[in-house]
Amino acid sequence: MSETGLRIYPSKPSKVYFYATCLLDLLDPDGGLAAIELIEREGVEVIWVEKQSCCGQPAYTSGYQEQAKTVALSQMGLFPKDYPIVVMSGSCAGMMFKHYPHLFANDDIYADQAEAFAERVFEFSEFLAHICRAKLHDQGPLTSVVLHTSCSGRRELGIHASSQALLSQLDKVELKKAEYESECCGFGGSFSLRHSEISQAMVEDKARHLQGSGASYLVSADWGCLANINGHLAYRGEASRFNGQHLASFLWQRTKGAKA
Amino acid sequence: MAVSNSNAKQNIMQRLAAVSALAPTNQTSANAWQASSPEQALARFEQSLMAAHADVIILENAKQLSACLLELQQQHQWQTALYGEGGEWSKVFSLALAEHLQLNHFLQPFEQLKTALFDSTDVTFTGCAAGIADTGTLVLKPSADEPRSLSLIAPCHVAVIKASQIVDNLSQLISEQHWHKGLPSNVVLISGPSKTADIQQTLAYGAHGPCQLIVIVINGE
Amino acid sequence: MSVQHYQASQFKQQASDALANQTLRSNFRGAMDYLQQKRKDAFSDPQELAQLREHAENIRQRCLSKLPQLLEQLEKNCQANGIQVHWAEDAKQAQQLIAELIQSQGATKVVKGKSMVTEEIELNQHLEGLGIECVESDMGEYIVQLAKETPSHIIMPAIHKNKQQVADLFQQHIKDFDYTLSVDKLIQTGREALRTKFKQAEVGISGVNFAVAETGTLCLVENEGNGRMTTTVPPVHIAVTGIEKVVEFLSDVPPLFSILTRSATGQHITTYFNMISGPRRAPERDGPNEVHLVLLDNGRSQAYADEALRKTLQCIRCGACMNHCPVYTRVGGHAYGTTYPGPIGKIISPHLQGLAQTSDLVTASSLCGACEEVCPVKIPIPSLLQRLRHDAKLPAAEQTPSLKGQASAASWTEHTAWRMWAWLSTHPSIYNWAMAVGVKLAKYLPMPMGEWTRCRNKPELASQTFHQTMKRRASKSLTRSATGGGR
C-alpha cells in the first residue's frame, strides 16, 4: 500500500556503500560488523566511508532545516560512485530516501542530486531481503523472537515486511506477534525529550506489549527505537537477554558458519 | 435582511486571489459497486438495509401491498398514522388502513401538524424516489405531496419502493437523473432507522428520528 | 454557564493531567481500538482503498485550486435557490452575524446540529451572553454541553466519557431521570429531552459537510436525525461552514461521502444524507422558511496562501487521524486545548490561533506517520508538522508568506546548538574524534540526559565507536593480507 512498496529493486550489485548511522556508531559497533558480514557473505563488497557522520534528521525534525540541509549535503557528497547505499536504520534511510528530495525540492542546484541519491538508498533488511535475496540457514537452538518495526521503516519506506521475511527464514526461531505491532514506541527523536510524559506512556505500553508476546528475544532494525525500548526495560530493572538487539546481530549469530 | 455586512467577502476573496498560479490537478475516478443482475442488486439492497437494522419486506406485486400494510398494522398495533395525499402509494395506504386506525393526511402547513406529529403519530407512510443497492439506501425527494417530516418525526417510518427503482450506486443515480441540473429544496438519503453510538460506542436505535424503518419492496408489477 | 476551558498553550500540563487519569485513558484506548477496527473492516480491499484515496485527494485539490471561483458560483447558485449567503472573516464577525440573524427573528430558542465550525467560533457562549439559549442536539454534544465541556473528538464528542459518567450527568441535570446504565434507556432519555427543544426552537443551526457549487446544495452527513430535525423543524435554518468545504460538482460528492463515513466510523453509509437546496418552496408544507449560509474564513486563507500548507484544507473532518494517533489515544482530545484535536488539529490550529499559542502542539508528535497513512485525502500531516516546526523557529526576517506567530518559538541557544551540531557533523575528523572521546569518557562524566531518564536508563555506549571498530578491522585485514592470511 505504501508508495515505496512499489519500488523496483535493482539486481544484486558487486559493491555497496555502508551507512552506519550515528546511533549505531555509538551504541552498537558489533551490530554494524554483523551487517557487514551478512552482506559480504552474499558476495557483495562493502565499502566503508569513514567521513560519514549523521544523516541530519535530528535537526530536520526539530525545525532546523538549514542545518539539516548543510549536513545532508555533506553526506551526499561522500558517496560518489553509483553503488547502492545500505543504511542501518529505518529512520535514517527514511530521512535520506524521502526527506532529502523534499529538503532540496526547490533547490536549483541540488534537487536532482538529492533525487538521484535517494534512489540509491536502501535500508539494511530491505537490501538483504529484496536485493540480495539472501537465503539464511539457521544454526542456532530453538528459540522465539519478537520484532519491533520502526515507523519510518513501515510508513516512509514500506519495508516492515522485509525484516519479518528474513526472520521467518530461520527455521528454529518462532516469530511471535506483539499486540499493537504497528504502533509507535514513543521515541521520535526530540519528541521523547520535549514531550517526555507522553513518550513515557508510549514506551511503557510498547515494552509491555513486546514482553507480552512471550518471545525470548527482541529485535529491531532501528537503533532509535531500540535505545528507547532498551532504556525503558533497563529502567524497570528488566534488562536481560530480552534487551533488544539489531536484526543484523541476531541474523548473524543464528547463521554464522553457514554457507551463503 | 438587516444583517451587518462588512467587506468580509471582498477581503476574503482578495486574500484567496492573491495566491499565485496553482498546480494543475489530476483527473481520476473511483469505481463504485455495480450489480451483475437486478437480482443481485435487490439482494444487496435488502442485506444492507437489514444490516442497518431496517425491516425489509419483499412483495411479488403491488396487489399484495394492502394486505401487507394491514398485517403490519395489526402486528404493531398502530393507532394513528400520517401520510401525504399525493404520493405514489397514497391511495393504497388510505384504502388499506383508513378503517383500522386514525389515518391523517398531511394537508396543512407543518406548523399546524407539529404537535400531532411529535406527540401522537405512531407511524408515517411514504413512497421513494429511488433506491441504492450498494448501501441499502432509500432516496426521498420530499414535496408537498409527501413532506420531509414524514420520514423523520414519528417513531416508525414505512417506505414503499419498487424493485425497478433501485440503482446500483449514488453516482449512477446522480448522472442518470441529471441531478446536476438542479435539485428540489430537499433530497434525503435514508439507510436505516435513526441511530447513535455516542455513549461508549454502544449502538442504540431511535436517537432522534424513527426508531424503526420498514421498507416494503414491490418486486414485480 | 461557563465552559471548562483548555488552552493550546497549556498543552503540556493538560496532557500530563490526562495521562494521570486512568479512567480517561481507558475510555480513549477502548474507543480508539474500536474505531480502528471498524475502519479496517470497512476497507477490506487495499486496492480499492488506494484508488478511492487518490481520487478523493484529487477532488479536494481540484476544488481548492478553484476555490475563489467556486465560492462565487456557490453563492450565486445558493442565492438562486433562495439561500441567503453571508461571509465572515473571523470568529468574532461570525458570532455577531449569526446573533443578528437570530435577533432579527426575535428568537431566543435555538437548537444546533453537530457542527465543529460553530465550536471553533465559540458560538454557544456568545449567544448565551445575549440571552439566547442554544441547545446541542447531537447526543454526544448534548452530553458534553450538560457537562459544561467541549467535544473531545470531532466525530464522537463525548468519547471521553463512559456510560456511568453519562448516567451520573443525566441524574444531575434531567428531571425525573430513572437512573440506569442501559445505553438504550440513556439515549431514549436524551431523545425525549431534546424533542421538547426541537418543538420549541425558533432557529436551527447546523454545519455543512459538502457545499456543492454546481447546484447550490448543502450536504449534511449524520446518523441520529438531529441534523434533519434542526434543518426541518424550526422556521429558520442557519448553516455555518468554513470556506474550504465547497466542492465543484455534485458528482464529487459520492466518493467523498463514501470515504468520509468509512474512514470515520467504518460505516459504508450513514443513516441520513441530507441535501438542502433551499427553504420551503410553495406549495411545500414543511421545511424552514429561511435558509442562511455563513461562509467563514478564520485563518483558512492564511493556510491557502502557501502551497504546502494549503493541503491542510483538503480535510473532510473524518477524525481517522486522531483515531489512529498514539498521542491522541493517550492524552485524549481536551489536552490539546483546541477545537480540532489530534494530528489534524495540530496543523489547523496554528492558522486559527497562531503559532505562538500552538508551538507545543506541533512538536507533540513522534512523526510516526499513522495519521498520514489513514488520511482519506492523503494530507501529509507529518511533513506539515515539520514545516510548522520550522516556521515556529524561523527568524522573523525570513517570513514568506507570513504565518501568524511565525518564529515565536525561536531560541538563540537552541539555534546555536544546532549550528554547532551541523558544524561538527560536517567536519568528519573532529566528529569522529569527539564521538570516540565521548564513548571513552561517558563512564566517568555525569552525562545530563534530562527528560530521557524520567523512564529510561542512559543508553549504554559501546567501548569504542563503529568508526574505531572499522579502523581496527581494516588494519587487521591489512595485516592478514600481508601475512597471506584471509578470512
Side-chain angles (χ1 to χ4, degrees), chain A residues 120-180:
Chain A
R120 290 161 55 207
V121 167
F122 300 95
E123 185 270 341
F124 164 73
S125 70
E126 177 184 32
F127 180 76
L128 207 60
H130 296 298
I131 298 178
C132 296
R133 295 167 187 266
K135 294 278 170 288
L136 302 174
H137 302 285
D138 197 358
Q139 307 287 302
L142 279 176
T143 191
S144 60
V145 68
V146 63
L147 174 71
H148 171 71
T149 51
S150 74
C151 298
S152 323
R154 177 176 293 274
R155 302 195 181 95
E156 293 187 338
L157 299 167
I159 48 101
H160 50 288
S162 34
S163 295
Q164 204 175 320
L166 292 169
L167 285 169
S168 64
Q169 288 190 39
L170 303 175
D171 47 22
K172 293 194 196 88
V173 175
E174 186 191 352
L175 190 51
K176 300 246 193 186
K177 280 241 178 221
E179 276 191 289
Y180 299 99

Side-chain angles (χ1 to χ4, degrees), chain A residues 172-249:
Chain A
K172 293 194 196 88
V173 175
E174 186 191 352
L175 190 51
K176 300 246 193 186
K177 280 241 178 221
E179 276 191 289
Y180 299 99
E181 194 189 6
S182 62
E183 198 174 77
C184 177
C185 71
F187 176 53
S190 60
F191 167 76
S192 59
L193 303 175
R194 279 183 206 274
H195 296 280
S196 53
E197 290 185 55
I198 303 171
S199 174
Q200 175 179 356
M202 289 163 72
V203 74
E204 282 170 356
D205 287 349
K206 180 53 75 180
R208 194 177 64 249
H209 296 142
L210 288 169
Q211 286 183 308
S213 71
S216 303
Y217 293 97
L218 164 65
V219 302
S220 177
D222 203 309
W223 260 107
C225 314
L226 281 178
N228 181 39
I229 299 166
N230 284 353
H232 179 65
L233 289 169
Y235 178 82
R236 288 206 327 227
E238 290 169 21
S240 61
R241 66 173 191 168
F242 185 72
N243 242 17
Q245 56 186 312
H246 197 281
L247 174 76
S249 300

